[in-house]
Every structure is written in C-alpha cells, then in structure tokens.
Amino acid sequence: MPIWKQPISVDILQDISKGTATEHLAIEFLEVGDDFIIARIPVDHRTIQPYGLLHGGVSVALAETLGSCGAAFCVPEGFRTVGLDINANHLKGASSGWVTGTTHPVHIGRSTQVWAIELKNDAGELTCVSRITMAVLGAR
C-alpha cells in the first residue's frame, strides 16, 4: 500500500528539482515505489573531491535529497517538512560511474519523520549509509 499523501512520480521529482542544487549536481530520479525512492548521482568533475573520490558532502546531498523528497510527499497538501538532523557513515569510496541511493521510511509520525538512505556504487557495494530526521510543519 503506497505511503504517499500527494501525487509523486519520477517526472514530478525531476520537475521540482529544476534550478536547484539537485539539478546542479546532476541527480537523476530513477524510480518511485509504494514506500521508496531511488535516485543516482554521477561521479565526475562536478562531484569529486581532490583525491578523485565522490565528495562526502555530495553523498550527503544525495541522501538528503532522497529523504527530504520522501518526507515531503508523505504529508497532506499544504504541510511542509524540513530537516532537523542528518548523519552519514562513509563506507567505501567511489571514483567513477554512478552512486545510486534508495530511501525508505523508518518512522512517519505527525510531527517527525525518519528516513534511512543507502548509497551503492555500480558494483552494488555499499558506499554510504545515512539517516535523516525531518520535522513536519503545519500549513501556513
């Protein structure tokens, strides 16, 4: 059973990302399921650090994008969600290809949400695990 309280699709997520950091980092949304979102980011000149590895902050940007989008579409129209806390454990570097992230909800409450995000390289190896806590704000 879908968890979404608003219409959501890959096309909607790509459209709302125009002109944002998500677009600037070339994050691509790939799939929306009943309770998950998948997106990927290229490992290239825009996203690496000086040692040629995907920048840790960019990994966190992908994780935050996924968790924030999940949270935003799990609240009724007119409500907003904002990040309270994010953490990330960087487990393996990525120096080429794509890093793909999947987010699932851990907790969807009235005032907070917690989302888990796993990032993997092209070989399917875990590169980063992250968790984001979101506050749910009422309509203005």
Side-chain angles (χ1 to χ4, degrees):
M1 178 173 209
I3 61 173
W4 314 115
K5 298 220 180 342
Q6 298 180 48
I8 185 173
S9 69
V10 168
D11 290 337
I12 290 170
L13 293 170
Q14 285 299 145
D15 283 346
I16 65 170
S17 298
K18 289 183 176 147
T20 70
T22 301
E23 182 180 53
H24 180 72
L25 292 171
I27 293 172
E28 298 177 4
F29 290 95
L30 301 176
E31 185 177 352
V32 175
D34 285 349
D35 67 347
F36 67 89
I37 301 172
I38 300 174
R40 69 182 185 168
I41 194 163
V43 181
D44 65 16
H45 68 281
R46 296 167 290 189
T47 59
I48 60 170
Q49 38 92 314
Y51 296 118
L53 299 172
L54 182 66
H55 192 288
V58 172
S59 291
V60 175
L62 175 58
E64 181 147 0
T65 298
L66 281 162
S68 293
C69 286
F73 286 86
C74 277
V75 295
E77 190 81 34
F79 282 74
R80 297 173 297 135
T81 56
V82 294
L84 290 176
D85 181 66
I86 188 164
N87 67 56
N89 297 103
H90 304 288
L91 307 173
K92 186 176 188 82
S95 57
S96 64
W98 294 85
V99 168
T100 302
T102 304
T103 191
H104 289 92
V106 174
H107 166 73
I108 300 175
R110 284 185 330 213
S111 60
T112 61
Q113 295 184 22
V114 178
W115 290 76
I117 304 99
E118 288 189 346
L119 306 184
K120 295 181 179 181
N121 62 20
D122 287 335
E125 300 166 318
L126 208 52
T127 61
C128 179
V129 292
S130 182
R131 188 182 69 223
I132 188 168
T133 303
M134 305 291 293
V136 177
L137 305 176
R140 287 185 183 217

mmCIF file of all heavy atoms in Angstrom, residues 97-135:
data_model
loop_
_atom_site.group_PDB
_atom_site.id
_atom_site.type_symbol
_atom_site.label_atom_id
_atom_site.label_comp_id
_atom_site.label_asym_id
_atom_site.label_seq_id
_atom_site.Cartn_x
_atom_site.Cartn_y
_atom_site.Cartn_z
ATOM 1 N N GLY A 97 31.715 6.255 -12.512
ATOM 2 C CA GLY A 97 30.378 5.694 -12.681
ATOM 3 C C GLY A 97 29.314 6.497 -11.959
ATOM 4 O O GLY A 97 29.327 7.726 -11.968
ATOM 5 N N TRP A 98 28.427 5.761 -11.315
ATOM 6 C CA TRP A 98 27.289 6.364 -10.620
ATOM 7 C C TRP A 98 27.214 5.819 -9.205
ATOM 8 O O TRP A 98 27.609 4.685 -8.947
ATOM 9 C CB TRP A 98 25.977 6.007 -11.325
ATOM 10 C CG TRP A 98 25.847 6.597 -12.681
ATOM 11 C CD1 TRP A 98 26.333 6.075 -13.852
ATOM 12 C CD2 TRP A 98 25.192 7.812 -13.040
ATOM 13 N NE1 TRP A 98 26.011 6.892 -14.898
ATOM 14 C CE2 TRP A 98 25.311 7.963 -14.433
ATOM 15 C CE3 TRP A 98 24.509 8.778 -12.312
ATOM 16 C CZ2 TRP A 98 24.774 9.053 -15.117
ATOM 17 C CZ3 TRP A 98 23.971 9.863 -12.986
ATOM 18 C CH2 TRP A 98 24.114 9.995 -14.371
ATOM 19 N N VAL A 99 26.668 6.629 -8.315
ATOM 20 C CA VAL A 99 26.283 6.168 -6.981
ATOM 21 C C VAL A 99 24.764 6.298 -6.924
ATOM 22 O O VAL A 99 24.207 7.356 -7.247
ATOM 23 C CB VAL A 99 26.984 6.969 -5.872
ATOM 24 C CG1 VAL A 99 26.357 6.695 -4.520
ATOM 25 C CG2 VAL A 99 28.472 6.628 -5.850
ATOM 26 N N THR A 100 24.118 5.207 -6.561
ATOM 27 C CA THR A 100 22.662 5.146 -6.541
ATOM 28 C C THR A 100 22.169 5.018 -5.110
ATOM 29 O O THR A 100 22.696 4.212 -4.341
ATOM 30 C CB THR A 100 22.172 3.947 -7.375
ATOM 31 O OG1 THR A 100 22.668 4.100 -8.720
ATOM 32 C CG2 THR A 100 20.645 3.880 -7.409
ATOM 33 N N GLY A 101 21.178 5.824 -4.773
ATOM 34 C CA GLY A 101 20.624 5.826 -3.419
ATOM 35 C C GLY A 101 19.183 5.385 -3.400
ATOM 36 O O GLY A 101 18.411 5.666 -4.321
ATOM 37 N N THR A 102 18.843 4.696 -2.321
ATOM 38 C CA THR A 102 17.464 4.268 -2.078
ATOM 39 C C THR A 102 17.074 4.711 -0.684
ATOM 40 O O THR A 102 17.830 4.499 0.269
ATOM 41 C CB THR A 102 17.333 2.732 -2.180
ATOM 42 O OG1 THR A 102 17.800 2.311 -3.456
ATOM 43 C CG2 THR A 102 15.882 2.296 -1.989
ATOM 44 N N THR A 103 15.916 5.326 -0.560
ATOM 45 C CA THR A 103 15.417 5.737 0.742
ATOM 46 C C THR A 103 14.125 5.006 1.077
ATOM 47 O O THR A 103 13.303 4.747 0.188
ATOM 48 C CB THR A 103 15.209 7.259 0.831
ATOM 49 O OG1 THR A 103 14.962 7.626 2.180
ATOM 50 C CG2 THR A 103 14.073 7.751 -0.045
ATOM 51 N N HIS A 104 13.992 4.661 2.351
ATOM 52 C CA HIS A 104 12.786 4.044 2.918
ATOM 53 C C HIS A 104 12.472 4.748 4.236
ATOM 54 O O HIS A 104 13.394 5.141 4.949
ATOM 55 C CB HIS A 104 13.013 2.559 3.251
ATOM 56 C CG HIS A 104 13.129 1.677 2.074
ATOM 57 N ND1 HIS A 104 14.331 1.372 1.487
ATOM 58 C CD2 HIS A 104 12.191 1.004 1.373
ATOM 59 C CE1 HIS A 104 14.125 0.553 0.475
ATOM 60 N NE2 HIS A 104 12.839 0.318 0.383
ATOM 61 N N PRO A 105 11.206 4.858 4.581
ATOM 62 C CA PRO A 105 10.882 5.456 5.869
ATOM 63 C C PRO A 105 11.181 4.490 7.017
ATOM 64 O O PRO A 105 10.962 3.285 6.898
ATOM 65 C CB PRO A 105 9.377 5.723 5.778
ATOM 66 C CG PRO A 105 8.880 4.692 4.816
ATOM 67 C CD PRO A 105 9.997 4.473 3.838
ATOM 68 N N VAL A 106 11.692 5.044 8.102
ATOM 69 C CA VAL A 106 11.867 4.306 9.352
ATOM 70 C C VAL A 106 10.679 4.618 10.261
ATOM 71 O O VAL A 106 10.166 3.753 10.959
ATOM 72 C CB VAL A 106 13.194 4.699 10.037
ATOM 73 C CG1 VAL A 106 13.326 4.046 11.398
ATOM 74 C CG2 VAL A 106 14.379 4.355 9.136
ATOM 75 N N HIS A 107 10.248 5.888 10.216
ATOM 76 C CA HIS A 107 9.138 6.356 11.064
ATOM 77 C C HIS A 107 8.440 7.501 10.345
ATOM 78 O O HIS A 107 9.085 8.442 9.882
ATOM 79 C CB HIS A 107 9.699 6.850 12.406
ATOM 80 C CG HIS A 107 8.728 7.640 13.219
ATOM 81 N ND1 HIS A 107 7.669 7.080 13.877
ATOM 82 C CD2 HIS A 107 8.663 8.984 13.465
ATOM 83 C CE1 HIS A 107 6.988 8.034 14.503
ATOM 84 N NE2 HIS A 107 7.571 9.191 14.263
ATOM 85 N N ILE A 108 7.133 7.417 10.227
ATOM 86 C CA ILE A 108 6.333 8.509 9.675
ATOM 87 C C ILE A 108 5.315 8.895 10.745
ATOM 88 O O ILE A 108 4.325 8.187 10.945
ATOM 89 C CB ILE A 108 5.625 8.106 8.364
ATOM 90 C CG1 ILE A 108 6.653 7.704 7.312
ATOM 91 C CG2 ILE A 108 4.752 9.262 7.862
ATOM 92 C CD1 ILE A 108 6.045 7.175 6.029
ATOM 93 N N GLY A 109 5.614 9.974 11.456
ATOM 94 C CA GLY A 109 4.740 10.429 12.529
ATOM 95 C C GLY A 109 4.064 11.740 12.190
ATOM 96 O O GLY A 109 4.261 12.304 11.114
ATOM 97 N N ARG A 110 3.267 12.237 13.136
ATOM 98 C CA ARG A 110 2.563 13.506 12.924
ATOM 99 C C ARG A 110 3.504 14.695 12.926
ATOM 100 O O ARG A 110 3.276 15.669 12.212
ATOM 101 C CB ARG A 110 1.520 13.719 14.012
ATOM 102 C CG ARG A 110 0.280 12.904 13.853
ATOM 103 C CD ARG A 110 -0.731 13.289 14.907
ATOM 104 N NE ARG A 110 -0.013 13.743 16.099
ATOM 105 C CZ ARG A 110 -0.418 13.585 17.333
ATOM 106 N NH1 ARG A 110 -1.564 13.035 17.579
ATOM 107 N NH2 ARG A 110 0.292 14.001 18.357
ATOM 108 N N SER A 111 4.559 14.654 13.770
ATOM 109 C CA SER A 111 5.439 15.815 13.886
ATOM 110 C C SER A 111 6.871 15.553 13.425
ATOM 111 O O SER A 111 7.619 16.497 13.204
ATOM 112 C CB SER A 111 5.456 16.313 15.332
ATOM 113 O OG SER A 111 5.919 15.303 16.201
ATOM 114 N N THR A 112 7.242 14.286 13.289
ATOM 115 C CA THR A 112 8.579 13.959 12.788
ATOM 116 C C THR A 112 8.517 12.746 11.860
ATOM 117 O O THR A 112 7.595 11.939 11.930
ATOM 118 C CB THR A 112 9.584 13.634 13.921
ATOM 119 O OG1 THR A 112 9.121 12.496 14.643
ATOM 120 C CG2 THR A 112 9.806 14.824 14.834
ATOM 121 N N GLN A 113 9.522 12.673 11.021
ATOM 122 C CA GLN A 113 9.733 11.507 10.174
ATOM 123 C C GLN A 113 11.217 11.164 10.213
ATOM 124 O O GLN A 113 12.055 12.063 10.340
ATOM 125 C CB GLN A 113 9.342 11.782 8.719
ATOM 126 C CG GLN A 113 7.882 12.063 8.507
ATOM 127 C CD GLN A 113 7.566 12.234 7.034
ATOM 128 O OE1 GLN A 113 8.286 11.777 6.154
ATOM 129 N NE2 GLN A 113 6.457 12.905 6.762
ATOM 130 N N VAL A 114 11.531 9.885 10.095
ATOM 131 C CA VAL A 114 12.918 9.428 9.996
ATOM 132 C C VAL A 114 13.014 8.557 8.747
ATOM 133 O O VAL A 114 12.192 7.662 8.539
ATOM 134 C CB VAL A 114 13.347 8.628 11.249
ATOM 135 C CG1 VAL A 114 14.780 8.127 11.095
ATOM 136 C CG2 VAL A 114 13.203 9.484 12.509
ATOM 137 N N TRP A 115 14.011 8.853 7.925
ATOM 138 C CA TRP A 115 14.232 8.131 6.676
ATOM 139 C C TRP A 115 15.648 7.559 6.655
ATOM 140 O O TRP A 115 16.604 8.250 7.035
ATOM 141 C CB TRP A 115 14.029 9.060 5.482
ATOM 142 C CG TRP A 115 12.588 9.429 5.297
ATOM 143 C CD1 TRP A 115 11.862 10.321 6.040
ATOM 144 C CD2 TRP A 115 11.696 8.870 4.350
ATOM 145 N NE1 TRP A 115 10.563 10.349 5.592
ATOM 146 C CE2 TRP A 115 10.431 9.469 4.555
ATOM 147 C CE3 TRP A 115 11.830 7.927 3.338
ATOM 148 C CZ2 TRP A 115 9.323 9.157 3.786
ATOM 149 C CZ3 TRP A 115 10.729 7.617 2.563
ATOM 150 C CH2 TRP A 115 9.498 8.228 2.797
ATOM 151 N N ALA A 116 15.789 6.327 6.203
ATOM 152 C CA ALA A 116 17.080 5.669 6.034
ATOM 153 C C ALA A 116 17.435 5.681 4.549
ATOM 154 O O ALA A 116 16.573 5.462 3.692
ATOM 155 C CB ALA A 116 17.026 4.242 6.552
ATOM 156 N N ILE A 117 18.700 5.935 4.265
ATOM 157 C CA ILE A 117 19.169 6.005 2.886
ATOM 158 C C ILE A 117 20.422 5.143 2.748
ATOM 159 O O ILE A 117 21.346 5.255 3.566
ATOM 160 C CB ILE A 117 19.501 7.456 2.474
ATOM 161 C CG1 ILE A 117 18.297 8.379 2.690
ATOM 162 C CG2 ILE A 117 19.951 7.501 1.012
ATOM 163 C CD1 ILE A 117 18.359 9.186 3.971
ATOM 164 N N GLU A 118 20.449 4.302 1.732
ATOM 165 C CA GLU A 118 21.634 3.511 1.401
ATOM 166 C C GLU A 118 22.132 3.943 0.032
ATOM 167 O O GLU A 118 21.348 4.017 -0.919
ATOM 168 C CB GLU A 118 21.324 2.015 1.368
ATOM 169 C CG GLU A 118 21.090 1.410 2.719
ATOM 170 C CD GLU A 118 21.011 -0.113 2.661
ATOM 171 O OE1 GLU A 118 20.871 -0.695 1.549
ATOM 172 O OE2 GLU A 118 21.088 -0.722 3.738
ATOM 173 N N LEU A 119 23.429 4.224 -0.065
ATOM 174 C CA LEU A 119 24.052 4.580 -1.334
ATOM 175 C C LEU A 119 24.965 3.435 -1.756
ATOM 176 O O LEU A 119 25.730 2.905 -0.929
ATOM 177 C CB LEU A 119 24.868 5.868 -1.210
ATOM 178 C CG LEU A 119 24.156 7.108 -0.656
ATOM 179 C CD1 LEU A 119 25.094 8.306 -0.704
ATOM 180 C CD2 LEU A 119 22.876 7.387 -1.391
ATOM 181 N N LYS A 120 24.921 3.076 -3.039
ATOM 182 C CA LYS A 120 25.734 1.979 -3.563
ATOM 183 C C LYS A 120 26.400 2.396 -4.862
ATOM 184 O O LYS A 120 25.845 3.171 -5.645
ATOM 185 C CB LYS A 120 24.863 0.742 -3.811
ATOM 186 C CG LYS A 120 24.277 0.172 -2.534
ATOM 187 C CD LYS A 120 23.450 -1.064 -2.806
ATOM 188 C CE LYS A 120 22.894 -1.622 -1.489
ATOM 189 N NZ LYS A 120 22.091 -2.838 -1.718
ATOM 190 N N ASN A 121 27.597 1.824 -5.107
ATOM 191 C CA ASN A 121 28.304 2.085 -6.359
ATOM 192 C C ASN A 121 27.760 1.171 -7.455
ATOM 193 O O ASN A 121 26.837 0.379 -7.229
ATOM 194 C CB ASN A 121 29.822 1.936 -6.168
ATOM 195 C CG ASN A 121 30.232 0.531 -5.760
ATOM 196 O OD1 ASN A 121 29.501 -0.451 -5.940
ATOM 197 N ND2 ASN A 121 31.430 0.419 -5.209
ATOM 198 N N ASP A 122 28.352 1.263 -8.647
ATOM 199 C CA ASP A 122 27.870 0.468 -9.781
ATOM 200 C C ASP A 122 28.004 -1.039 -9.556
ATOM 201 O O ASP A 122 27.283 -1.818 -10.176
ATOM 202 C CB ASP A 122 28.607 0.857 -11.062
ATOM 203 C CG ASP A 122 28.166 2.210 -11.604
ATOM 204 O OD1 ASP A 122 27.029 2.627 -11.320
ATOM 205 O OD2 ASP A 122 28.962 2.847 -12.326
ATOM 206 N N ALA A 123 28.923 -1.448 -8.682
ATOM 207 C CA ALA A 123 29.098 -2.866 -8.377
ATOM 208 C C ALA A 123 28.102 -3.342 -7.315
ATOM 209 O O ALA A 123 28.123 -4.510 -6.928
ATOM 210 C CB ALA A 123 30.536 -3.127 -7.913
ATOM 211 N N GLY A 124 27.250 -2.438 -6.839
ATOM 212 C CA GLY A 124 26.273 -2.799 -5.819
ATOM 213 C C GLY A 124 26.831 -2.797 -4.411
ATOM 214 O O GLY A 124 26.177 -3.254 -3.478
ATOM 215 N N GLU A 125 28.040 -2.245 -4.250
ATOM 216 C CA GLU A 125 28.674 -2.187 -2.934
ATOM 217 C C GLU A 125 28.205 -0.941 -2.184
ATOM 218 O O GLU A 125 28.093 0.146 -2.762
ATOM 219 C CB GLU A 125 30.201 -2.139 -3.080
ATOM 220 C CG GLU A 125 30.761 -3.339 -3.801
ATOM 221 C CD GLU A 125 32.194 -3.139 -4.241
ATOM 222 O OE1 GLU A 125 32.530 -2.037 -4.740
ATOM 223 O OE2 GLU A 125 32.975 -4.086 -4.093
ATOM 224 N N LEU A 126 27.954 -1.107 -0.909
ATOM 225 C CA LEU A 126 27.505 -0.012 -0.066
ATOM 226 C C LEU A 126 28.629 1.008 0.093
ATOM 227 O O LEU A 126 29.734 0.668 0.514
ATOM 228 C CB LEU A 126 27.109 -0.588 1.292
ATOM 229 C CG LEU A 126 26.058 0.107 2.127
ATOM 230 C CD1 LEU A 126 24.779 0.372 1.355
ATOM 231 C CD2 LEU A 126 25.765 -0.731 3.359
ATOM 232 N N THR A 127 28.356 2.262 -0.281
ATOM 233 C CA THR A 127 29.359 3.322 -0.136
ATOM 234 C C THR A 127 29.055 4.239 1.045
ATOM 235 O O THR A 127 29.950 4.835 1.618
ATOM 236 C CB THR A 127 29.464 4.175 -1.419
ATOM 237 O OG1 THR A 127 28.207 4.807 -1.672
ATOM 238 C CG2 THR A 127 29.875 3.320 -2.605
ATOM 239 N N CYS A 128 27.775 4.353 1.392
ATOM 240 C CA CYS A 128 27.377 5.267 2.460
ATOM 241 C C CYS A 128 26.012 4.848 2.998
ATOM 242 O O CYS A 128 25.144 4.429 2.224
ATOM 243 C CB CYS A 128 27.300 6.694 1.903
ATOM 244 S SG CYS A 128 26.792 7.981 3.065
ATOM 245 N N VAL A 129 25.846 4.947 4.306
ATOM 246 C CA VAL A 129 24.529 4.796 4.917
ATOM 247 C C VAL A 129 24.228 6.094 5.653
ATOM 248 O O VAL A 129 25.111 6.691 6.267
ATOM 249 C CB VAL A 129 24.432 3.579 5.873
ATOM 250 C CG1 VAL A 129 24.537 2.286 5.104
ATOM 251 C CG2 VAL A 129 25.472 3.647 6.967
ATOM 252 N N SER A 130 23.006 6.522 5.551
ATOM 253 C CA SER A 130 22.628 7.811 6.127
ATOM 254 C C SER A 130 21.235 7.694 6.735
ATOM 255 O O SER A 130 20.459 6.810 6.380
ATOM 256 C CB SER A 130 22.639 8.880 5.028
ATOM 257 O OG SER A 130 22.328 10.150 5.541
ATOM 258 N N ARG A 131 20.960 8.613 7.650
ATOM 259 C CA ARG A 131 19.628 8.712 8.240
ATOM 260 C C ARG A 131 19.312 10.187 8.422
ATOM 261 O O ARG A 131 20.153 10.958 8.877
ATOM 262 C CB ARG A 131 19.578 7.989 9.586
ATOM 263 C CG ARG A 131 18.152 7.896 10.130
ATOM 264 C CD ARG A 131 18.095 7.236 11.486
ATOM 265 N NE ARG A 131 18.721 8.127 12.448
ATOM 266 C CZ ARG A 131 19.567 7.732 13.416
ATOM 267 N NH1 ARG A 131 19.888 6.482 13.538
ATOM 268 N NH2 ARG A 131 20.076 8.612 14.244
ATOM 269 N N ILE A 132 18.097 10.557 8.035
ATOM 270 C CA ILE A 132 17.674 11.943 8.166
ATOM 271 C C ILE A 132 16.404 11.997 9.008
ATOM 272 O O ILE A 132 15.518 11.156 8.869
ATOM 273 C CB ILE A 132 17.460 12.612 6.780
ATOM 274 C CG1 ILE A 132 17.205 14.108 6.927
ATOM 275 C CG2 ILE A 132 16.362 11.932 5.990
ATOM 276 C CD1 ILE A 132 17.277 14.874 5.608
ATOM 277 N N THR A 133 16.365 12.992 9.890
ATOM 278 C CA THR A 133 15.165 13.250 10.693
ATOM 279 C C THR A 133 14.548 14.542 10.184
ATOM 280 O O THR A 133 15.238 15.558 10.046
ATOM 281 C CB THR A 133 15.511 13.379 12.190
ATOM 282 O OG1 THR A 133 16.165 12.195 12.619
ATOM 283 C CG2 THR A 133 14.260 13.628 13.025
ATOM 284 N N MET A 134 13.247 14.479 9.909
ATOM 285 C CA MET A 134 12.526 15.604 9.359
ATOM 286 C C MET A 134 11.440 16.071 10.311
ATOM 287 O O MET A 134 10.796 15.236 10.957
ATOM 288 C CB MET A 134 11.874 15.206 8.023
ATOM 289 C CG MET A 134 12.823 14.646 6.977
ATOM 290 S SD MET A 134 13.952 15.861 6.307
ATOM 291 C CE MET A 134 12.823 16.925 5.431
ATOM 292 N N ALA A 135 11.247 17.375 10.397
ATOM 293 C CA ALA A 135 10.125 17.925 11.158
ATOM 294 C C ALA A 135 8.965 18.153 10.201
ATOM 295 O O ALA A 135 9.163 18.563 9.055
ATOM 296 C CB ALA A 135 10.518 19.255 11.800
#
